[in-house]
Amino acid sequence: MRKYAVIYRAVLLENLQYAMNVAMGFVSYAVFIFVFIQLWNYVYSSPGELIAGYTKEQMIWYVMITETIWFGTGSGAVARQAAGDIRGGNIAYQINKPYHYALYILAKYTGEWCIRLPMFAGLAVVMGMAMVGGLPGFRAVTLLAVLPVMVLGITINAVFKLCISLISFWVEDSNPFQWLYDKMLLVVGTIFPIEIFPVALQHIFRFTPIYTVCYGPAKLIVDFSPQKCLEILLAQTLYLAAGCGLMFFIYGKGVKKLYVNGG
């Protein structure tokens, strides 16, 4: 694990030098959040109204939190690098390095989002307090319980995106599969909480990565409960184990195919 910590630290220090480049993404994030604040202000016609169990403030903060994770983690970097290395042949050099390629990508990605996410989170807090106000019932101590949930959710998302990219060993372009995964994650659990959807679909969504990536951390921040926290942590543990198992399996098969075909 020490070698991956070194990779993480090197990428972290590198991204600190280019933190201002991250700020360039603030404009699109701010526009997106502004539009959704206006949308939910219109949908909630009267003060105190509940939609799917969320007050207006909870709903807006929920969307702001999930979009902060979406914009602040930039998970597309995982997909682009892995797929690019495989299609371009660079993977033939990477697999001979003294580290596991998939874990190298994850360590590198973690170093990147550790700079991006706090910057977007700071912008979200400023916009939220200025345009919506504080979140009713929120306590700062909640963040201590939510932090591991958020880190696990980001990691799970990266693992599954890496799994999709690794199918580039067999297909020329994995981007269509990435697009389908991203859009499912964006619409269900990111833009809209799971409770918005019919009950039958809610039960299905709870057994998908959607429940663990964006929905879990945002739900705990706007409406924390110890029972829900343990439920989400359990789901995340299972999904992380399953995702890592799938990632190592696909990578192993892909590398074997590469060796058989002579690199």
Side-chain angles (χ1 to χ4, degrees):
M1 293 302 294
R2 185 177 178 182
K3 65 185 84 171
Y4 303 109
V6 171
I7 295 170
Y8 163 79
R9 186 166 59 251
V11 175
L12 184 71
L13 293 174
E14 179 184 349
N15 279 268
L16 275 173
Q17 298 178 17
Y18 300 99
M20 288 306 298
N21 291 343
V22 177
M24 299 300 292
F26 283 1
V27 175
S28 56
Y29 173 83
V31 170
F32 195 94
I33 293 301
F34 177 80
V35 170
F36 268 87
I37 288 176
Q38 302 310 312
L39 171 65
W40 287 116
N41 278 332
Y42 176 78
V43 172
Y44 281 86
S45 57
S46 60
E49 182 181 359
L50 292 178
I51 297 179
Y54 292 78
T55 64
K56 181 178 75 172
E57 291 79 12
Q58 285 179 321
M59 186 67 77
I60 293 176
W61 274 104
Y62 175 91
V63 174
M64 292 186 68
I65 294 164
T66 55
E67 291 303 326
T68 297
I69 297 173
W70 185 268
F71 279 86
T73 56
S75 58
V78 174
R80 287 191 298 272
Q81 178 165 357
D85 285 344
I86 295 172
R87 289 199 305 267
N90 192 45
I91 187 69
Y93 302 98
Q94 294 284 0
I95 60 178
N96 294 318
K97 299 291 185 180
Y99 50 69
H100 193 286
Y101 175 75
L103 296 180
Y104 159 74
I105 293 292
L106 292 176
K108 184 173 180 290
Y109 169 65
T110 304
E112 294 172 355
W113 70 253
C114 279
I115 299 299
R116 292 175 54 91
L117 186 59
M119 294 178 66
F120 276 90
L123 176 62
V125 170
V126 172
M127 289 188 64
M129 295 301 293
M131 303 182 68
V132 184
L135 181 62
F138 173 76
R139 294 183 300 170
V141 70
T142 300
L143 294 176
L144 296 177
V146 175
L147 185 60
V149 175
M150 187 172 293
V151 172
L152 283 172
I154 295 169
T155 306
I156 290 168
N157 186 41
V159 167
F160 277 98
K161 287 188 72 66
L162 186 53
C163 286
I164 296 172
S165 292
L166 290 176
I167 66 175
S168 295
F169 279 114
W170 294 272
V171 300
E172 183 176 353
D173 188 5
S174 61
N175 285 331
F177 303 101
Q178 295 284 2
W179 186 88
L180 288 173
Y181 173 80
D182 285 342
K183 293 304 173 283
M184 179 182 71
L185 196 65
L186 182 63
V187 174
V188 183
T190 302
I191 295 178
F192 302 106
I194 289 176
E195 290 86 354
I196 287 285
F197 297 90
V199 175
L201 289 178
Q202 291 182 32
H203 293 307
I204 296 174
F205 294 151
R206 292 179 191 278
F207 291 96
T208 67
I210 293 169
Y211 187 68
T212 63
V213 175
C214 288
Y215 169 82
K219 175 66 175 179
L220 291 176
I221 290 177
V222 301
D223 186 19
F224 181 83
S225 73
Q227 181 181 357
K228 176 65 72 174
C229 184
L230 290 175
E231 179 183 315
I232 293 171
L233 279 172
L234 176 60
Q236 287 181 323
T237 302
L238 295 174
Y239 261 103
L240 184 59
C244 287
L246 180 63
M247 177 183 70
F248 290 130
F249 174 78
I250 297 175
Y251 178 77
K253 289 290 185 181
V255 170
K256 184 178 180 180
K257 177 179 181 293
L258 195 66
Y259 283 137
V260 168
N261 293 331

